[in-house]
Amino acid sequence: MTTLDQIAPDFVGMAHSIVWASVATVDDDGRPRTRILHPIWEWDGTDLFGWIATVPTPLKRAHLAAHPEVSVSYWTTTHDTCSAECLVEWYTDDETCAEVWQKFATGPEPVGYDPAIIPMWKDGPTSPEFAVLRLTPYRLRVMPGTVMTKGEGTAVTWSDHSGRRD
């Protein structure tokens, strides 16, 4: 099995180059729902965390209250894919929202962007329409498209086995 320090830089590089991800939640009846979101990831050499700026809709809140986990999947036309299965925490406090707002506002191209371009967030990071999800991955997978298209390269997986399923 691959270690986190081996896979995290490749995961972040691929995720940030693709930018948009399909993110799935599950409702309290076990039915999945996907949406396209724009996570930003931070790897400090020890820990990997993702951040999603989002509108805290009643549906998202209900899904994450029932099952505080998401599946995040990236794909690009070259068939590069990476995915993260994550525990999720909501943050609505002004300090965290302002910090994450800045992460996106100053993030590297192409993942960085000005959150103020979202009409619902015109009032900035303290708007009630702005909230933050913190993603803590317990499983990662990275597969260069060449594995599928040419039979070259390797798909790698990492799992934190502390109580999580693979």
Side-chain angles (χ1 to χ4, degrees), residues 7 10-11 14 18 74-76 78-83 140-149 152-157:
I7 197 172
D10 291 338
F11 173 81
M14 187 180 287
I18 297 171
Y74 294 88
W75 173 84
T76 188
T78 62
H79 302 296
D80 287 346
T81 60
C82 62
S83 59
L140 298 172
R141 184 169 192 269
V142 175
M143 186 180 85
T146 56
V147 173
M148 184 183 348
T149 61
E152 299 171 357
T154 305
V156 292
T157 302

Side-chain angles (χ1 to χ4, degrees), residues 6-97:
Q6 292 170 316
I7 197 172
D10 291 338
F11 173 81
V12 172
M14 187 180 287
H16 282 187
S17 72
I18 297 171
V19 181
W20 295 95
S22 178
V23 179
T25 58
V26 176
D27 70 14
D28 56 357
D29 290 325
R31 295 175 301 207
R33 171 79 57 101
T34 58
R35 57 199 50 81
I36 303 300
L37 295 172
H38 181 162
I40 194 166
W41 295 90
E42 293 183 316
W43 168 243
D44 65 7
T46 302
D47 294 310
L48 176 64
F49 295 105
W51 300 96
I52 297 175
T54 190
V55 176
T57 65
L59 184 65
K60 282 182 209 156
R61 285 189 173 277
H63 283 200
L64 293 174
H67 299 284
E69 297 176 278
V70 295
S71 177
V72 181
S73 182
Y74 294 88
W75 173 84
T76 188
T77 57
T78 62
H79 302 296
D80 287 346
T81 60
C82 62
S83 59
E85 311 302 326
C86 306
L87 297 174
V88 179
E89 297 173 83
W90 277 106
Y91 286 87
T92 56
D93 64 283
D94 290 350
E95 182 179 348
T96 304
C97 286

